[in-house]
Amino acid sequence: MNISPVALARIYEEDFKQDMAALKVLPPTVYMRVTENIPQIISFIKTIIASGQAYATSQGNVYFDVKSWGKRYGVLTTIYPDTQDEAVDTDKRHGKDFALWKAAKPQELSWTSPWGRGRPGWHIECSTISSAVFGKQLDIHTGGIDLAFPHHENEIAQCEVYHQCEQWGNYFLHSGHLHVKGSQEKMSKSLKNFITIKDFLKKFSSDQFRMFCLRSRYSSAVEFSDESMDDAKHLLQAISLFIRDANAYIKGQLVCDPVREDILWERLANTKVTVKAAFADDFDTSRAVAAIMDLIHHGNRQLKAVTKDAGSPRSSVVYGSIISYIEGFFNALGMSFGERQVALGGDNSAVLSNVLDELVRFRAKVRHYALALPEEADAVPVEGATAAEGAKQEQKEKRQQLMQERRPLLEACDSLRGDLAAFGIHIKDRAAVSTWEIEEGGQVEQQTKKKS
């Protein structure tokens, strides 16, 4: 390829940034590149050598002397330098020693150093850059479970030597691997068993991926499949439907029987306790999400629509509090169930949403008019039984005539609903409201329109 290594790296870097933005992953505060920190890495290595925990070889390599660090090596994974060593056929002193600087190979990118031309080792890059940003101590360090050893173990050794500290990292959070369903191997580029983020987002949404992740502990291996993604999609739809129904109830658009507020307040309080305990237990998101879904289940049980309003007071405050808590929970996790845009994305989404609002509102008016037939009178104030019977018959015939005249309107409403359903737009007619939702790439947008 007629392109420099740095330029090639920038191409993939920008591609990565675009993928992360598409997944709604917040960007880091600062981007640090190894190629821009070579002098700092060399200085870091020189300090470790001066401390007596690293050595340079005649071949231009520099290694960390694991045995010189004694029992302090292996604090993370309980792998100690005194255990059986592998055979050494390189210029290392011991098999477990690891490279801080590697001598250059032909046609390999390299830099000048006190030990000759070469490049940094894998672990030293992270130690140097993290120290440049965070100083002599990290609170939380994350990474895949396969990085615990040797990468994180070696990072700890390098940093504790450099900073002369007792504990460099306070907490290490190791995430489990992502597996393809039916395979024990992790999803990886080298195994060619992966799906790109761009291809994934053609079929599923970023919120659905987050829900897929939240349903398992971060430290557990998770199996990826269309079925597991569909499960995540259905959970999101259930949450969105509950929020829309609860909002409709608060606005008086959904008429229900009297609500047992005491039960819902107790459920909300218990959910808050459970969620807090779950997150305090090594970020157990699966238990937290289960608690939220249980709260929604109990909230839905009392949102049963009735055909006639008995004039019962609405329990708006408790449902408002439940909605606020649920939305706050998912907002903290990068997901939104508020005034979401239609799944088509882009600036036209809001326009399409408004068009659908007007369309459903107009259809609801037409349907309401078509169904608004005069009631049959129980008692007709007409003298004489024959005259009264004649009036009833006349009224019945008038209703039948109106039904016949307005039938095309109802048929047109049904036809419109069927036509829109073919495009993934679903209209639902209930006693007092009409709702619509869009299913596009797995996302759902819902709105509620009151009939008038």
Side-chain angles (χ1 to χ4, degrees), residues 9 59 151 183 191 212 222 232 255-256 261 283 302 312 338 416 435:
Q59 296 181 23
H151 186 53
S183 173
L191 295 174
F212 165 76
V222 62
V255 180
C256 302
E261 287 192 45
F283 297 104
Q302 300 202 47
S312 303
L416 175 61
T435 64

Side-chain angles (χ1 to χ4, degrees), residues 72-147:
R72 293 187 64 179
Y73 185 82
V75 294
L76 183 65
T77 56
T78 64
I79 296 175
Y80 301 107
D82 293 339
T83 57
Q84 186 175 359
D85 223 342
E86 65 264 29
V88 179
D89 57 359
T90 66
D91 56 346
K92 295 181 183 180
R93 293 178 183 172
H94 312 288
K96 286 189 173 64
D97 293 352
F98 57 89
L100 304 181
W101 187 265
K102 295 184 177 182
K105 296 178 180 179
Q107 298 183 332
E108 187 178 70
L109 192 64
S110 62
W111 290 265
T112 301
S113 79
W115 318 286
R117 291 195 65 83
R119 61 179 177 83
W122 171 27
H123 318 294
I124 199 68
E125 298 171 347
C126 297
S127 291
T128 302
I129 288 175
S130 61
S131 296
V133 176
F134 298 105
K136 65 181 182 179
Q137 191 172 53
L138 280 181
D139 190 19
I140 300 175
H141 193 312
T142 65
I145 187 61
D146 53 331
L147 296 180

Side-chain angles (χ1 to χ4, degrees), residues 284-306:
D284 190 351
T285 56
S286 60
R287 183 151 61 101
V289 170
I292 294 292
M293 297 310 298
D294 185 64
L295 174 63
I296 288 173
H297 167 72
H298 287 281
N300 272 328
R301 288 180 64 181
Q302 300 202 47
L303 283 181
K304 300 299 182 184
V306 295

Side-chain angles (χ1 to χ4, degrees), residues 358-372 405-422 425-430 434-436 451-452:
E358 293 300 324
L359 180 62
V360 172
R361 184 181 293 113
F362 175 76
R363 178 184 173 278
K365 288 181 179 179
V366 172
R367 188 171 180 274
H368 179 69
Y369 169 76
L371 293 172
E405 290 175 353
R406 298 180 185 182
R407 185 182 300 277
L409 295 177
L410 291 174
E411 290 175 349
C413 289
D414 290 342
S415 177
L416 175 61
R417 181 173 58 188
D419 291 343
L420 292 178
I425 302 170
H426 302 283
I427 299 177
K428 296 180 181 179
D429 297 312
R430 293 188 281 191
S434 289
T435 64
W436 65 265
K451 294 178 182 178
S452 57

Side-chain angles (χ1 to χ4, degrees), residues 316-331:
S316 301
V317 176
V318 66
Y319 273 102
S321 298
I322 291 173
I323 291 172
S324 177
Y325 178 71
I326 292 173
E327 289 185 340
F329 172 87
F330 286 107
N331 283 339

